[in-house]
Amino acid sequence: MAHHANSLGRKLRFAQIIVFEQVLRSGSILRAAQELNLTQPAVTKVIHELEGHFGGPLLVRGNRGVTATELGELVARRSKSLLAELRHMTDEVNAFQEGAAGQVLVGTLISASAVLLPRAIQLLKARAPAVVVTLRVGQMDQLLPALSVGDLDLVVARIPDDGSWQGKLPGLEAEALYAEQLCAVGGAHHPLASRNATSLAEMLAFPWILPTRDSSLRRTAERLFFEAGLGAPSNVVESLSVLTNVALMLDQQTVGLMPRTEAQQFAEAGMLAILPLAELPGFGEIGCFACSGRVPAQAVTLFRACLRDAATQALRGMPT
Protein backbone atom coordinates (compact mmCIF):
# COMPACT_ATOMS: atom_id res chain seq x y z
CA MET A 1 0.00 0.00 0.00
CA ALA A 2 1.68 3.24 -1.17
CA HIS A 3 1.55 6.16 1.26
CA HIS A 4 1.40 9.79 0.28
CA ALA A 5 3.11 12.20 2.69
CA ASN A 6 0.11 14.57 2.72
CA SER A 7 -2.50 11.91 3.47
CA LEU A 8 -0.30 10.37 6.21
CA GLY A 9 0.36 13.86 7.57
CA ARG A 10 -3.38 14.50 7.89
CA LYS A 11 -4.02 11.20 9.71
CA LEU A 12 -0.98 11.12 12.03
CA ARG A 13 -0.99 13.01 15.30
CA PHE A 14 2.05 13.81 17.44
CA ALA A 15 0.21 12.39 20.46
CA GLN A 16 0.08 8.98 18.74
CA ILE A 17 3.83 9.05 18.08
CA ILE A 18 4.49 9.97 21.73
CA VAL A 19 2.37 6.99 22.86
CA PHE A 20 4.10 4.58 20.45
CA GLU A 21 7.57 5.76 21.55
CA GLN A 22 6.66 5.35 25.23
CA VAL A 23 5.35 1.80 24.66
CA LEU A 24 8.69 0.81 23.11
CA ARG A 25 10.63 2.61 25.84
CA SER A 26 8.61 0.87 28.59
CA GLY A 27 8.47 -2.51 26.80
CA SER A 28 4.89 -2.87 28.04
CA ILE A 29 1.51 -1.31 27.16
CA LEU A 30 0.49 -1.30 30.84
CA ARG A 31 3.68 0.51 31.97
CA ALA A 32 3.40 2.99 29.10
CA ALA A 33 -0.22 3.71 30.10
CA GLN A 34 0.92 4.40 33.69
CA GLU A 35 3.75 6.68 32.49
CA LEU A 36 1.36 8.65 30.25
CA ASN A 37 -1.56 8.72 32.73
CA LEU A 38 -3.79 6.92 30.20
CA THR A 39 -5.84 3.75 30.47
CA GLN A 40 -4.49 0.56 28.94
CA PRO A 41 -7.37 0.37 26.36
CA ALA A 42 -6.60 3.98 25.29
CA VAL A 43 -2.96 3.07 24.58
CA THR A 44 -3.99 -0.11 22.73
CA LYS A 45 -6.44 1.94 20.63
CA VAL A 46 -3.67 4.39 19.61
CA ILE A 47 -1.39 1.50 18.57
CA HIS A 48 -4.23 0.00 16.45
CA GLU A 49 -4.82 3.41 14.82
CA LEU A 50 -1.11 3.71 13.97
CA GLU A 51 -1.04 0.17 12.57
CA GLY A 52 -3.99 1.19 10.39
CA HIS A 53 -2.12 4.29 9.16
CA PHE A 54 1.04 2.34 8.34
CA GLY A 55 -0.69 -0.76 7.02
CA GLY A 56 0.94 -3.42 9.16
CA PRO A 57 1.74 -4.58 12.71
CA LEU A 58 4.19 -2.32 14.59
CA LEU A 59 4.49 -4.37 17.79
CA VAL A 60 4.93 -8.01 18.63
CA ARG A 61 4.01 -9.36 22.05
CA GLY A 62 6.48 -11.79 23.60
CA ASN A 63 6.99 -13.26 27.07
CA ARG A 64 9.28 -10.30 27.85
CA GLY A 65 6.71 -7.65 26.89
CA VAL A 66 6.28 -5.85 23.58
CA THR A 67 9.01 -5.19 21.02
CA ALA A 68 8.94 -3.55 17.58
CA THR A 69 8.41 -5.46 14.34
CA GLU A 70 10.68 -4.57 11.42
CA LEU A 71 8.08 -1.98 10.29
CA GLY A 72 7.80 -0.81 13.91
CA GLU A 73 11.58 -0.28 14.10
CA LEU A 74 11.49 1.87 10.97
CA VAL A 75 8.61 3.99 12.34
CA ALA A 76 10.34 4.20 15.77
CA ARG A 77 13.58 5.46 14.22
CA ARG A 78 11.79 8.29 12.40
CA SER A 79 9.54 8.95 15.42
CA LYS A 80 12.60 9.72 17.56
CA SER A 81 13.73 12.30 14.99
CA LEU A 82 10.25 13.85 14.86
CA LEU A 83 10.08 14.04 18.66
CA ALA A 84 13.57 15.55 18.81
CA GLU A 85 12.38 18.22 16.34
CA LEU A 86 9.24 18.79 18.44
CA ARG A 87 11.41 19.22 21.56
CA HIS A 88 13.64 21.68 19.70
CA MET A 89 10.64 23.62 18.39
CA THR A 90 9.19 23.83 21.92
CA ASP A 91 12.58 24.98 23.27
CA GLU A 92 12.95 27.62 20.55
CA VAL A 93 9.42 28.97 20.97
CA ASN A 94 10.00 29.17 24.74
CA ALA A 95 13.38 30.82 24.14
CA PHE A 96 11.70 33.33 21.80
CA GLN A 97 9.06 34.13 24.43
CA GLU A 98 11.36 34.20 27.48
CA GLY A 99 14.89 34.82 26.19
CA ALA A 100 17.40 31.94 25.85
CA ALA A 101 15.99 28.80 27.41
CA GLY A 102 15.64 25.14 26.46
CA GLN A 103 17.58 21.95 27.04
CA VAL A 104 20.78 20.45 25.68
CA LEU A 105 21.25 16.67 25.93
CA VAL A 106 24.97 15.85 25.85
CA GLY A 107 26.59 12.43 25.75
CA THR A 108 30.19 12.08 26.85
CA LEU A 109 32.95 9.63 27.70
CA ILE A 110 34.45 9.98 31.17
CA SER A 111 37.85 10.78 29.66
CA ALA A 112 36.45 13.79 27.75
CA SER A 113 34.35 15.25 30.54
CA ALA A 114 36.84 16.36 33.18
CA VAL A 115 37.85 19.82 31.94
CA LEU A 116 36.21 20.81 28.66
CA LEU A 117 32.59 20.10 29.62
CA PRO A 118 32.53 21.79 33.05
CA ARG A 119 34.14 24.89 31.50
CA ALA A 120 31.70 24.92 28.56
CA ILE A 121 28.74 24.52 30.95
CA GLN A 122 30.01 27.43 33.08
CA LEU A 123 30.26 29.62 29.97
CA LEU A 124 26.76 28.57 28.84
CA LYS A 125 25.27 29.28 32.28
CA ALA A 126 26.86 32.74 32.30
CA ARG A 127 25.15 33.50 28.97
CA ALA A 128 21.87 31.61 29.35
CA PRO A 129 21.17 30.48 32.95
CA ALA A 130 17.74 29.04 32.01
CA VAL A 131 19.15 26.39 29.64
CA VAL A 132 19.15 22.94 31.27
CA VAL A 133 22.17 20.78 30.39
CA THR A 134 21.64 17.04 30.81
CA LEU A 135 24.74 14.81 30.66
CA ARG A 136 24.76 11.14 29.85
CA VAL A 137 28.01 9.21 30.30
CA GLY A 138 28.60 6.12 28.20
CA GLN A 139 30.86 4.48 25.63
CA MET A 140 30.95 5.52 21.97
CA ASP A 141 28.97 2.49 20.79
CA GLN A 142 26.04 3.65 22.99
CA LEU A 143 26.34 7.42 22.54
CA LEU A 144 26.66 7.78 18.76
CA PRO A 145 23.54 5.69 17.91
CA ALA A 146 21.60 7.71 20.53
CA LEU A 147 22.81 10.91 18.82
CA SER A 148 21.82 9.69 15.37
CA VAL A 149 18.19 8.97 16.43
CA GLY A 150 17.78 12.26 18.35
CA ASP A 151 18.00 10.99 21.95
CA LEU A 152 21.09 13.21 22.32
CA ASP A 153 21.85 16.62 20.80
CA LEU A 154 25.65 16.40 20.96
CA VAL A 155 28.38 13.96 21.97
CA VAL A 156 31.69 15.28 23.33
CA ALA A 157 34.44 12.68 23.09
CA ARG A 158 37.76 11.70 21.56
CA ILE A 159 37.37 11.38 17.79
CA PRO A 160 38.45 7.80 16.87
CA ASP A 161 41.55 7.87 14.64
CA ASP A 162 40.25 5.24 12.24
CA GLY A 163 37.08 7.10 11.18
CA SER A 164 35.13 3.82 11.50
CA TRP A 165 32.15 5.62 13.09
CA GLN A 166 31.41 7.44 9.81
CA GLY A 167 30.65 4.24 7.91
CA LYS A 168 28.30 2.96 10.61
CA LEU A 169 26.42 6.23 11.18
CA PRO A 170 26.65 8.30 8.00
CA GLY A 171 24.39 11.15 9.25
CA LEU A 172 26.91 12.34 11.86
CA GLU A 173 29.66 14.98 11.69
CA ALA A 174 32.55 15.61 14.06
CA GLU A 175 34.21 18.94 14.79
CA ALA A 176 37.70 18.69 16.31
CA LEU A 177 38.10 21.11 19.24
CA TYR A 178 41.66 20.49 20.45
CA ALA A 179 44.40 17.85 20.44
CA GLU A 180 44.84 16.16 23.82
CA GLN A 181 48.12 14.72 25.08
CA LEU A 182 48.45 11.65 27.27
CA CYS A 183 50.54 11.70 30.44
CA ALA A 184 51.55 9.36 33.26
CA VAL A 185 50.35 10.27 36.77
CA GLY A 186 50.85 9.23 40.37
CA GLY A 187 50.26 10.72 43.82
CA ALA A 188 51.73 14.19 44.48
CA HIS A 189 54.51 12.56 46.61
CA HIS A 190 55.14 9.53 44.38
CA PRO A 191 58.83 8.45 44.39
CA LEU A 192 59.06 9.09 40.62
CA ALA A 193 57.51 12.57 40.83
CA SER A 194 60.73 14.27 41.98
CA ARG A 195 62.87 12.65 39.25
CA ASN A 196 63.93 14.50 36.09
CA ALA A 197 63.02 11.53 33.90
CA THR A 198 61.63 8.04 34.19
CA SER A 199 60.88 5.14 31.84
CA LEU A 200 57.98 2.74 31.39
CA ALA A 201 60.28 -0.08 32.49
CA GLU A 202 60.85 1.66 35.87
CA MET A 203 57.13 2.31 36.23
CA LEU A 204 56.29 -1.40 35.82
CA ALA A 205 57.51 -1.98 39.37
CA PHE A 206 54.51 -0.01 40.70
CA PRO A 207 50.80 -0.93 40.89
CA TRP A 208 48.94 0.29 37.78
CA ILE A 209 45.45 1.51 36.93
CA LEU A 210 44.60 0.63 33.34
CA PRO A 211 41.48 1.67 31.40
CA THR A 212 38.81 -1.06 31.11
CA ARG A 213 39.19 -3.47 28.17
CA ASP A 214 36.22 -2.06 26.24
CA SER A 215 37.74 1.44 25.97
CA SER A 216 39.92 2.81 23.16
CA LEU A 217 42.32 4.19 25.78
CA ARG A 218 43.09 0.60 26.81
CA ARG A 219 44.26 -0.21 23.27
CA THR A 220 46.50 2.87 23.39
CA ALA A 221 47.98 1.69 26.71
CA GLU A 222 48.63 -1.85 25.44
CA ARG A 223 50.30 -0.49 22.29
CA LEU A 224 52.52 1.64 24.54
CA PHE A 225 53.90 -1.37 26.44
CA PHE A 226 54.23 -3.42 23.25
CA GLU A 227 56.18 -0.72 21.39
CA ALA A 228 58.51 -0.31 24.38
CA GLY A 229 59.19 -4.06 24.20
CA LEU A 230 57.57 -4.63 27.60
CA GLY A 231 54.90 -6.95 28.92
CA ALA A 232 51.80 -5.46 30.54
CA PRO A 233 52.02 -4.57 34.27
CA SER A 234 51.28 -7.51 36.59
CA ASN A 235 49.67 -5.56 39.46
CA VAL A 236 46.60 -3.95 37.82
CA VAL A 237 43.22 -2.39 38.61
CA GLU A 238 40.96 -1.80 35.59
CA SER A 239 38.91 1.36 35.97
CA LEU A 240 37.59 4.41 34.11
CA SER A 241 36.27 6.05 37.29
CA VAL A 242 38.28 9.26 37.67
CA LEU A 243 37.38 9.70 41.36
CA THR A 244 38.31 6.12 42.25
CA ASN A 245 41.56 6.36 40.29
CA VAL A 246 42.64 9.58 42.02
CA ALA A 247 41.80 8.04 45.43
CA LEU A 248 43.88 4.93 44.59
CA MET A 249 46.86 7.07 43.59
CA LEU A 250 46.87 8.80 46.99
CA ASP A 251 48.76 5.70 48.25
CA GLN A 252 51.82 7.36 46.57
CA GLN A 253 52.56 4.06 44.78
CA THR A 254 49.83 3.48 42.17
CA VAL A 255 50.35 4.98 38.69
CA GLY A 256 48.15 5.42 35.64
CA LEU A 257 47.54 7.31 32.39
CA MET A 258 45.41 10.43 32.01
CA PRO A 259 44.64 13.08 29.40
CA ARG A 260 46.97 15.99 30.20
CA THR A 261 44.35 18.74 30.73
CA GLU A 262 42.61 16.50 33.27
CA ALA A 263 45.89 15.60 35.03
CA GLN A 264 46.85 19.28 35.25
CA GLN A 265 43.67 20.02 37.20
CA PHE A 266 44.54 17.41 39.83
CA ALA A 267 48.19 18.50 39.85
CA GLU A 268 47.15 22.14 40.47
CA ALA A 269 44.92 20.94 43.32
CA GLY A 270 47.97 19.21 44.88
CA MET A 271 46.47 15.71 44.59
CA LEU A 272 48.47 14.19 41.73
CA ALA A 273 51.82 14.66 40.03
CA ILE A 274 52.48 14.35 36.30
CA LEU A 275 55.36 11.85 36.11
CA PRO A 276 58.35 12.70 33.86
CA LEU A 277 57.73 10.06 31.18
CA ALA A 278 58.65 11.19 27.67
CA GLU A 279 57.64 8.25 25.50
CA LEU A 280 53.85 8.83 25.48
CA PRO A 281 51.70 9.12 22.36
CA GLY A 282 49.02 11.78 21.80
CA PHE A 283 45.63 10.95 23.29
CA GLY A 284 43.90 12.19 20.12
CA GLU A 285 41.54 14.97 19.14
CA ILE A 286 38.70 15.86 21.47
CA GLY A 287 35.69 16.88 19.45
CA CYS A 288 31.98 17.45 19.28
CA PHE A 289 29.74 15.06 17.32
CA ALA A 290 26.40 16.30 15.97
CA CYS A 291 23.73 15.12 13.53
CA SER A 292 24.36 16.96 10.25
CA GLY A 293 20.80 16.56 8.92
CA ARG A 294 19.09 18.16 11.92
CA VAL A 295 18.48 21.88 12.42
CA PRO A 296 19.90 22.47 15.92
CA ALA A 297 17.89 24.31 18.56
CA GLN A 298 19.17 27.71 19.67
CA ALA A 299 20.39 26.29 23.01
CA VAL A 300 22.39 23.58 21.20
CA THR A 301 24.05 26.12 18.87
CA LEU A 302 24.90 28.29 21.87
CA PHE A 303 26.40 25.33 23.74
CA ARG A 304 28.58 24.43 20.72
CA ALA A 305 29.94 27.99 20.75
CA CYS A 306 30.71 27.58 24.48
CA LEU A 307 32.54 24.28 23.75
CA ARG A 308 34.73 26.08 21.20
CA ASP A 309 35.53 28.85 23.70
CA ALA A 310 36.27 26.31 26.45
CA ALA A 311 38.60 24.41 24.08
CA THR A 312 40.50 27.64 23.29
CA GLN A 313 40.92 28.22 27.03
CA ALA A 314 42.06 24.63 27.59
CA LEU A 315 44.68 25.08 24.87
CA ARG A 316 45.98 28.20 26.54
CA GLY A 317 46.29 26.19 29.75
CA MET A 318 44.07 28.62 31.57
CA PRO A 319 42.79 27.47 34.98
CA THR A 320 39.21 26.28 34.72
Side-chain angles (χ1 to χ4, degrees):
M1 168 172 90
H3 283 103
H4 191 272
N6 283 346
S7 66
L8 194 56
R10 279 198 293 271
K11 289 178 199 163
L12 263 184
R13 299 193 312 279
F14 257 115
Q16 294 172 316
I17 292 172
I18 290 166
V19 169
F20 176 58
E21 219 257 339
Q22 186 61 57
V23 170
L24 283 184
R25 201 181 283 256
S26 304
S28 143
I29 286 179
L30 176 62
R31 274 204 301 279
Q34 290 165 344
E35 288 285 332
L36 296 162
N37 285 328
L38 294 171
T39 64
Q40 201 172 341
V43 172
T44 305
K45 181 169 180 272
V46 168
I47 299 300
H48 286 325
E49 285 169 359
L50 281 173
E51 289 179 332
H53 296 335
F54 291 111
L58 300 176
L59 298 174
V60 56
R61 286 167 183 74
N63 47 7
R64 287 207 195 145
V66 292
T67 50
T69 60
E70 202 174 341
L71 174 64
E73 297 248 348
L74 185 150
V75 173
R77 203 161 52 241
R78 291 294 176 184
S79 295
K80 281 178 182 289
S81 300
L82 283 170
L83 291 175
E85 284 300 324
L86 179 65
R87 179 167 59 79
H88 286 157
M89 184 168 75
T90 311
D91 286 352
E92 291 208 334
V93 170
N94 290 343
F96 180 78
Q97 310 286 18
E98 309 160 8
Q103 184 183 24
V104 187
L105 298 171
V106 186
T108 186
L109 293 148
I110 291 173
S111 55
S113 59
V115 179
L116 181 70
L117 270 178
R119 187 73 196 117
I121 291 167
Q122 286 163 350
L123 291 173
L124 177 75
K125 287 293 182 179
R127 295 174 200 179
V131 173
V132 177
V133 180
T134 305
L135 292 180
R136 190 167 131 201
V137 174
Q139 294 285 26
M140 288 295 262
D141 55 2
Q142 303 160 326
L143 298 176
L144 291 186
L147 174 64
S148 93
V149 297
D151 279 349
L152 292 172
D153 297 318
L154 300 169
V155 169
V156 177
R158 187 173 82 89
I159 301 172
D161 307 328
D162 58 5
S164 58
W165 58 275
Q166 285 166 305
K168 293 176 200 153
L169 300 157
L172 300 185
E173 54 168 14
E175 176 190 357
L177 294 167
Y178 70 98
E180 178 68 274
Q181 287 304 114
L182 203 57
C183 64
V185 284
H189 306 291
H190 194 281
L192 297 177
S194 56
R195 300 269 297 277
N196 291 329
T198 186
S199 66
L200 261 183
E202 279 183 294
M203 286 176 67
L204 280 182
F206 294 93
W208 270 78
I209 302 168
L210 286 177
T212 52
R213 287 162 202 260
D214 56 356
S215 70
S216 59
L217 189 51
R218 175 60 174 261
R219 290 189 287 281
T220 306
E222 285 172 347
R223 196 165 64 242
L224 192 65
F225 295 116
F226 178 76
E227 285 173 1
L230 301 167
S234 55
N235 181 350
V236 169
V237 173
E238 295 182 343
S239 159
L240 280 175
S241 163
V242 177
L243 289 176
T244 304
N245 296 357
V246 171
L248 286 170
M249 288 189 234
L250 297 181
D251 67 355
Q252 311 306 330
Q253 289 293 308
T254 302
V255 294
L257 300 171
M258 246 186 207
R260 184 169 276 274
T261 46
E262 186 180 316
Q264 269 168 336
Q265 269 204 318
F266 290 111
E268 282 162 20
M271 297 171 79
L272 297 183
I274 295 175
L275 304 180
L277 180 67
E279 61 227 51
L280 282 169
F283 178 62
E285 287 193 305
I286 303 295
C288 175
F289 294 82
C291 197
S292 49
R294 209 175 293 140
V295 181
Q298 187 183 353
V300 176
T301 304
L302 184 59
F303 189 62
R304 282 191 79 164
C306 293
L307 279 167
R308 290 183 198 112
D309 291 351
T312 307
Q313 293 182 8
L315 280 174
R316 283 197 219 119
M318 282 177 62
T320 52

